[in-house]
Structure formats: C-alpha cells, structure tokens
Amino acid sequence: MSETLMQLGAFQFSVDYVSYQSLKRSQSYRWSSQARISRRPAQQFVGVGEEKVDFTGTIYPRSAREIDAMTTLRGLAEQGTPQQLTDGAGLIWGQWVILSLDETQTIFIGNGWPKKITFQIHLKRYGEDG
C-alpha cells in the first residue's frame, strides 16, 4: 500500500505514484497604515492575507498512469472549483484552487514517453464563505 503524502480533491500524491520533493508554504498578513500627527504611522492588523502552497517534484514514470498524472491534475484545475487539501496524517488544510501547473518532460524513449517529468503546482487558499 502506498503512503499518501497529500491529497488534493481526488488526486493523491504518494510515495509510489506522484511524489513531490519540496513543499513551499507562504502566508501573508494584512496591516493598514494609520497616519498620525507628528508621529510615525501606526499599523493596524486588518486580517489574514493570502496563503499559497507550491509543490515541486520529479516523476520517473513506470506506467501510462504516471505519465497521465499531470493531465489528471489539469483536469482537476479546469473544473474551476476549490478542492480540499488533506495531508497524509489526516490534517485538513482547507479548500484550495490550482493557480497554475508547470510541467517539463525530458529524456524520451522510442514511443515518445518521457523518462523524466518535472513539475510545479501552485495553489492558493480559497477564501472560505461565512
């Protein structure tokens, strides 16, 4: 049985299928500047800003399923709906959207299949309603 690293909607990143080698998570926070007479502006916290996650990885495909993994992810992105992101420990990260997917195929064999696929997936947290 394959160990799940992360799941985005129905797509599963796992040790044996599509594994990412790095995960970058960034979070911003919103502050508003308040002008004051004869003093420096004060900062007022107005809320949590955007949160982003980037996955970077390399696949050395052994099957057509692994070659089609990026096509599957593109299909998920083209649905235009937020997807739940859950890690392998079962922690729910919330709803996310796929902003972009970068794929590079190299080292081809006779039938045109790549022996190496590198990818980057850029996600942004979907603003929860209510």
Side-chain angles (χ1 to χ4, degrees), residues 18-66:
V18 175
S19 178
Y20 52 85
Q21 283 73 49
S22 71
L23 183 154
K24 178 183 174 186
R25 186 175 184 180
S26 62
Q27 175 73 57
S28 65
Y29 302 92
R30 297 179 300 135
W31 290 84
S32 179
S33 183
Q34 302 297 321
R36 301 186 298 181
I37 297 173
S38 300
R39 293 189 292 169
R40 292 183 181 175
Q43 301 300 310
Q44 180 179 6
F45 183 69
V46 294
V48 176
E50 293 184 338
E51 186 175 4
K52 298 177 184 177
V53 170
D54 296 328
F55 296 104
T56 303
T58 303
I59 307 168
Y60 297 95
R62 299 176 304 253
S63 68
R65 180 175 174 245
E66 290 175 320

Side-chain angles (χ1 to χ4, degrees), residues 42-109:
Q43 301 300 310
Q44 180 179 6
F45 183 69
V46 294
V48 176
E50 293 184 338
E51 186 175 4
K52 298 177 184 177
V53 170
D54 296 328
F55 296 104
T56 303
T58 303
I59 307 168
Y60 297 95
R62 299 176 304 253
S63 68
R65 180 175 174 245
E66 290 175 320
I67 290 172
D68 289 340
M70 295 300 111
T71 301
T72 302
L73 275 168
R74 278 191 293 278
L76 190 64
E78 290 169 6
Q79 290 177 11
T81 57
Q83 303 293 322
Q84 181 168 284
L85 186 63
T86 308
D87 65 24
L91 179 66
I92 298 171
W93 289 35
Q95 298 289 312
W96 294 74
V97 296
I98 300 173
L99 292 180
S100 65
L101 173 62
D102 304 319
E103 172 187 3
T104 303
Q105 298 181 0
T106 55
I107 312 171
F108 297 93
I109 59 176

